[in-house]
Amino acid sequence: MNVADVYDYRNFDNHIIQGAKKTNQFISHPKEAYVESKFDQLITNTGFDSFEEWAIASQTTALIVIQRDTVIYEKYFNGFERDAYFHSQSMAKSFISFLIGAALDDGLINSIDDPMTDYIPELLERDPRFQKISLKDLLEMRSGLKYNTDLIPFTNIHAPWHDEAVGYYHPNVRKLLLEKVNISSGPGEDFQYSNYNTSYLGLIIERSTNLSVSQYLEQKLWSKIMEYDALFSIDSKSSSFEYMPSRLVARAIDYARFGQLMLKEGDWFGDQIISQSWVIESTRENRSIPRDIYPRWFGRSDKRIYYTYQWWGHVNEDGTYHFYANGNLGQNIYIIPHKETVIVHCGNSLQYYSSDFDLWDVALKLD
C-alpha cells in the first residue's frame, strides 16, 4: 500500500454510518468568481494562470464555502462528484473530540480531568504513570506518550517502525494500545502530535458508551444532521476497531454540515446537538499553555497557530480567530466565526496547498 492516500478506505473493511432520514438543506446562491478571486495570491505564488489550472494541479477534489447559512460555492474536481467519498485523514480527530463532548453531555464521561485509567484500568498494571494522564492531556496532544517519528534516511517517508505507520496498518489497535504504547515524559510537559492520543480517546468512548465509535457517531451526529451515509475504516474484521485518527470517510457536503454545526456552537436549526460550552472549550485557544512547548512554526506573535481539543486554530493580529479540522493531503473544515463562514477543502496533495498558511490567507480576504 506504500504511503497513505485518500483512496485507502478501499483497502480496509469499513463500518457504515447511516445519515439522517430527513435533514435541513442549505440555501444555494453561487458566487463562484468572488470565491475563486480570493485564491489569486495562491495561484500566483504557485505559478499557475487560473483557478481551474491550480485546482487540477493541486489535486483539489472538493471546495465548498458556506457564508451566512448560504452555500456560495460548491465545486468538485479531478473526477470527484458530490456523492463521492472523501477521506478525512486527520479531520477524523475533530469528530472524536465531538464524541468526547457528547459522552460528557450524556453523563457517560464524568470529566476530561479524569485519569485515562478510569476507563482503561489495565494500563495501570503495565505502568502506573498512565494514571497521571488525563483525557484533557490526550485531547491537547500533551500526554507524554512515546511516539516514534523516524523517517527512511534521505527521504521524507515514514520508516516502517514510525508509529504513524505502525498504528495505521496494525490489525489489532486495541491490543497495541493496551500492551505496546509507552510513556516518554510527564503529562502536560510537551506537545507531541500523536495518533495514539486519538486512538485512546476512541477506546475511552467505546468503553464509556458500550457502543462502537461508529455506532455512537451515528447516534449523536450522523443520524441527526447528515445528508449521506459515511464509512469508518477498521483495523481488521476480527478486531473491528475503527482507526480513530484518520479513517473516517464521508461526503464533502457533510463535512461542511459539521463545520456549520460547530460555527453555530452546536445548534442545528434550533436543535442543540452538542452543548455550546463544549464547542467553545474545545475550539478556542488556551492562553495558559506556554507557547514554547509548540514548534516555532506555530508562531509566537499576535498572529499565531494554536491547538486545542483535536482542533487547530489561527489567531489574527486583530484578535479574531479561526479554527479548523486538519487532515493530511489537503483535507480541511475551516471555520471563521466572525465572518459566519465555513470552508471545506478536500484534496490528495500538499504540493500547491497549505491549510496552515494558504487557507488562512484566503480566509482573511473573505468579506
Side-chain angles (χ1 to χ4, degrees):
M1 288 175 60
N2 205 338
V3 295
D5 67 17
V6 298
Y7 304 104
D8 271 6
Y9 69 93
R10 299 172 181 173
N11 299 314
F12 296 96
D13 290 302
N14 298 279
H15 287 164
I16 297 174
I17 304 169
Q18 297 292 339
K21 293 180 179 178
K22 185 178 181 181
T23 188
N24 302 78
Q25 298 295 320
F26 294 119
I27 298 168
S28 181
H29 189 264
K31 297 182 180 179
E32 293 183 0
Y34 162 75
V35 171
E36 291 179 2
S37 71
K38 306 306 176 185
F39 286 77
D40 283 351
Q41 188 62 50
L42 173 58
I43 292 164
T44 299
N45 290 345
T46 50
F48 296 105
D49 295 325
S50 68
F51 178 89
E52 191 77 20
E53 186 180 343
W54 168 82
I56 293 170
S58 66
Q59 297 186 53
T60 291
T61 54
L63 182 65
I64 300 171
V65 181
I66 301 174
Q67 192 166 57
R68 300 177 187 92
D69 304 324
T70 301
V71 176
I72 63 170
Y73 194 94
E74 183 180 356
K75 289 182 74 173
Y76 302 92
F77 308 90
N78 288 301
F80 281 72
E81 298 176 345
R82 195 177 203 263
D83 63 354
Y85 280 121
F86 296 83
H87 202 303
S88 68
Q89 303 287 337
S90 283
M91 291 197 305
K93 293 178 170 70
S94 300
F95 289 87
I96 298 300
S97 172
F98 170 91
L99 290 183
I100 292 291
L104 283 163
D105 287 348
D106 288 343
L108 302 173
I109 290 175
N110 179 55
S111 168
I112 60 168
D113 294 318
D114 289 348
M116 64 185 296
T117 51
D118 282 4
Y119 305 90
I120 318 173
E122 306 97 303
L123 294 173
L124 282 170
E125 301 171 11
R126 190 156 61 80
D127 190 334
R129 291 180 297 169
F130 277 106
Q131 190 172 20
K132 296 181 180 180
I133 301 173
S134 69
L135 275 62
K136 185 175 182 180
D137 294 324
L138 296 171
L139 286 161
E140 293 179 336
M141 299 286 184
R142 300 174 66 210
S143 61
L145 295 173
K146 187 176 181 180
Y147 199 69
N148 185 297
T149 57
D150 287 352
L151 302 177
I152 295 173
F154 311 111
T155 76
N156 196 36
I157 299 173
H158 295 159
W161 52 88
H162 188 300
D163 273 316
E164 184 163 330
V166 170
Y168 195 83
Y169 298 111
H170 202 284
N172 191 333
V173 174
R174 281 193 206 86
K175 184 178 177 69
L176 176 67
L177 297 173
L178 294 174
E179 299 180 4
K180 298 296 184 181
V181 179
N182 295 309
I183 295 171
S184 63
S185 62
E189 294 178 5
D190 302 300
F191 173 84
Q192 171 64 65
Y193 189 85
S194 162
N195 286 336
Y196 290 145
N197 289 306
T198 314
S199 289
Y200 276 120
L201 289 169
L203 182 56
I204 289 165
I205 291 165
E206 186 179 74
R207 292 281 181 90
S208 62
T209 65
N210 289 315
L211 296 170
S212 72
V213 167
S214 295
Q215 289 170 330
Y216 198 53
L217 185 58
E218 179 177 298
Q219 179 187 119
K220 304 306 295 185
L221 180 65
W222 235 263
S223 66
K224 293 178 180 290
I225 75 169
M226 297 307 194
E227 185 173 354
Y228 296 95
D229 66 359
L231 307 175
F232 218 142
S233 296
I234 57 176
D235 50 7
S236 65
K237 282 186 176 180
S238 58
S239 174
S240 197
F241 189 65
E242 296 90 346
Y243 190 66
M244 315 295 168
S246 67
R247 292 211 302 256
L248 176 67
V249 187
R251 274 62 174 210
I253 193 63
D254 282 337
Y255 293 140
R257 286 170 173 270
F258 184 53
Q260 185 75 1
L261 178 71
M262 298 301 287
L263 171 67
K264 297 293 185 178
E265 298 182 344
D267 178 86
W268 186 258
F269 294 91
D271 185 11
Q272 196 70 34
I273 303 296
I274 189 85
S275 61
Q276 181 184 39
S277 60
W278 177 256
V279 175
I280 293 170
E281 182 180 355
S282 63
T283 60
R284 307 299 192 267
E285 181 185 26
N286 182 351
R287 295 294 299 275
S288 70
I289 299 175
R291 293 297 297 173
D292 60 7
I293 75 164
Y294 296 114
R296 293 294 303 179
W297 62 268
F298 272 45
R300 300 288 188 266
S301 65
D302 290 338
K303 185 178 180 182
R304 59 189 179 274
I305 293 171
Y306 65 89
Y307 193 85
T308 54
Y309 299 172
Q310 311 278 295
W311 288 91
W312 295 83
H314 287 146
V315 176
N316 303 308
E317 291 176 345
D318 63 2
T320 58
Y321 68 95
H322 315 150
F323 62 95
Y324 57 108
N326 193 23
N328 191 25
L329 302 175
Q331 326 313 318
N332 296 112
I333 306 168
Y334 197 96
I335 296 134
I336 313 165
H338 70 289
K339 295 183 180 181
E340 299 179 69
T341 300
V342 174
I343 304 172
V344 168
H345 178 277
C346 297
N348 198 29
S349 173
L350 291 174
Q351 185 175 1
Y352 301 115
Y353 170 82
S354 163
S355 59
D356 291 319
F357 299 103
D358 294 331
L359 199 54
W360 192 357
D361 181 63
V362 169
L364 292 172
K365 292 174 179 176
L366 291 169
D367 296 336

